[in-house]
């Protein structure tokens, strides 16, 4: 069996489906509610898109989450740069945590300047399923704190400029994912090649490790 590249978070519904990669396509409620047919996806209410339609969106989420190809809740989370009042973001995030618990789904987290608050919410709701902080671009000190609590970090195309090399070098492979997110120009294979080069390991070793994480976290 050829081990595929894993793109744990993408907004590209036409992600490669030739068997060389597996992509988790994001469905953002209140923004893009088209369920992805024939492919794996995550669904969530992003803190940017919380509005007067939020209750209906959460009801839709309760229905959609029962589809077999919905593997995770997210991206959901907190963003202090969002115009949505922070208390409102927290209330919606907590509801999504409870949905993830009810349906036993991992969480894919969007976090901007709110790592303490997100962790506090996870602890408050006794969330014990896998958590992936997507698009991680902070320092190694914070990365280690999150990893030590059992969380996963997903790194995107921004790492290609060398800004995340310390995190890329030090993060245990058992806590790492890679993603293309909203980028349409970069293939997931390019991220794998860069990370493998920085870590001085074969690409196949990296593919095997991240595929193992994928199977554990998303129960595949």
């Amino acid at each position: 069996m050829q081990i595929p590249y894993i793109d744990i978070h993408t907004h590209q519904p036409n992600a490669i489906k030739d068997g060389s990669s597996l992509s988790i396509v994001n469905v953002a409620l209140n923004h893009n509610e088209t369920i992805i047919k024939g492919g794996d996806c995550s669904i969530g209410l992003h803190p940017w898109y919380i509005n007067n339609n939020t209750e209906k969106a959460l009801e839709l989420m309760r229905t959609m989450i029962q589809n077999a190809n919905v593997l995770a809740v997210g991206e959901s989370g907190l963003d202090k740069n969002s115009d949505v009042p922070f208390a409102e973001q927290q209330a919606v995030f907590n509801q999504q945590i409870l949905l993830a618990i009810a349906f036993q789904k991992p969480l894919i987290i969007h976090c901007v300047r709110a790592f303490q608050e997100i962790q506090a919410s996870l602890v408050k709701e006794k969330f014990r399923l896998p958590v992936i902080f997507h698009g991680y671009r902070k320092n190694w000190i914070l990365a280690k704190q999150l990893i030590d609590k059992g969380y996963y970090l997903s790194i995107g195309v921004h790492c290609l400029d060398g800004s995340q090399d310390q995190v890329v070098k030090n993060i245990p492979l058992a806590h790492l994912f890679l993603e293309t997110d909203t980028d349409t120009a970069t293939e997931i294979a390019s991220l794998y090649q860069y990370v493998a080069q920085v870590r001085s390991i074969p690409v196949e070793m990296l593919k095997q490790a991240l595929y193992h994480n994928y199977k554990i976290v998303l129960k595949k």
Side-chain angles (χ1 to χ4, degrees), residues 46-79:
H46 193 290
W48 295 355
Y49 305 129
I50 295 170
N51 55 34
N52 294 334
N53 196 44
T54 291
E55 284 305 317
K56 288 184 179 178
L58 289 170
E59 283 299 325
L60 177 61
M61 187 174 174
R62 291 185 184 96
T63 300
M64 292 172 68
I65 200 172
Q66 299 177 59
N67 292 355
N69 63 326
V70 176
L71 303 185
V73 170
E75 58 186 292
S76 61
L78 303 174
D79 188 330

Side-chain angles (χ1 to χ4, degrees), residues 78 86 90 93-94 97 114-127 133 146 149 151:
L78 303 174
F86 195 70
Q90 288 182 306
F93 179 48
N94 287 344
I97 293 174
F115 284 94
Q116 288 185 340
E117 291 88 345
I118 280 180
Q119 292 179 78
S121 292
L122 294 171
V123 170
K124 176 177 177 290
E125 303 298 346
K126 298 181 173 61
F127 192 80
F133 283 88
L146 295 171
K149 293 180 179 178
Y151 301 136

Side-chain angles (χ1 to χ4, degrees), residues 13 19 23 30 39 46 70 108 184-185 218:
S23 301
N30 278 354
H46 193 290
V70 176
I108 297 177
T184 58
L218 299 175

Side-chain angles (χ1 to χ4, degrees), residues 23-186:
S23 301
I24 310 301
V25 178
N26 178 246
V27 177
L29 300 176
N30 278 354
H31 182 64
N32 172 22
E33 295 167 359
T34 303
I35 195 72
I36 307 302
K37 295 181 179 179
D40 295 338
C41 65
S42 64
I43 58 170
L45 189 50
H46 193 290
W48 295 355
Y49 305 129
I50 295 170
N51 55 34
N52 294 334
N53 196 44
T54 291
E55 284 305 317
K56 288 184 179 178
L58 289 170
E59 283 299 325
L60 177 61
M61 187 174 174
R62 291 185 184 96
T63 300
M64 292 172 68
I65 200 172
Q66 299 177 59
N67 292 355
N69 63 326
V70 176
L71 303 185
V73 170
E75 58 186 292
S76 61
L78 303 174
D79 188 330
K80 290 186 178 177
N81 290 344
S82 172
D83 293 332
V84 178
F86 195 70
E88 191 173 348
Q89 291 184 45
Q90 288 182 306
V92 173
F93 179 48
N94 287 344
Q95 290 184 69
Q96 292 182 89
I97 293 174
L98 294 176
L99 269 177
I101 292 172
F103 290 94
Q104 291 292 287
K105 303 290 185 182
L107 276 170
I108 297 177
I109 300 291
H110 171 96
C111 179
V112 176
R113 298 169 49 221
F115 284 94
Q116 288 185 340
E117 291 88 345
I118 280 180
Q119 292 179 78
S121 292
L122 294 171
V123 170
K124 176 177 177 290
E125 303 298 346
K126 298 181 173 61
F127 192 80
R128 297 188 176 91
L129 295 159
V131 173
I132 302 169
F133 283 88
H134 104 88
Y136 186 83
R137 60 178 71 198
K138 298 298 183 182
N139 59 38
W140 169 242
I141 295 173
L142 176 59
K144 188 175 187 308
Q145 292 171 357
L146 295 171
I147 292 163
D148 286 346
K149 293 180 179 178
Y151 301 136
Y152 295 81
L153 305 182
S154 180
I155 297 176
V157 299
H158 57 276
C159 77
L160 296 175
D161 65 6
S163 62
Q164 292 296 113
D165 279 4
Q166 187 179 21
V167 174
V168 167
K169 287 178 182 176
N170 288 290
I171 184 171
L173 291 181
H175 288 268
L176 175 65
F177 283 107
L178 298 175
E179 64 178 67
T180 57
D181 197 13
T182 58
D183 190 282
T184 58
T186 307

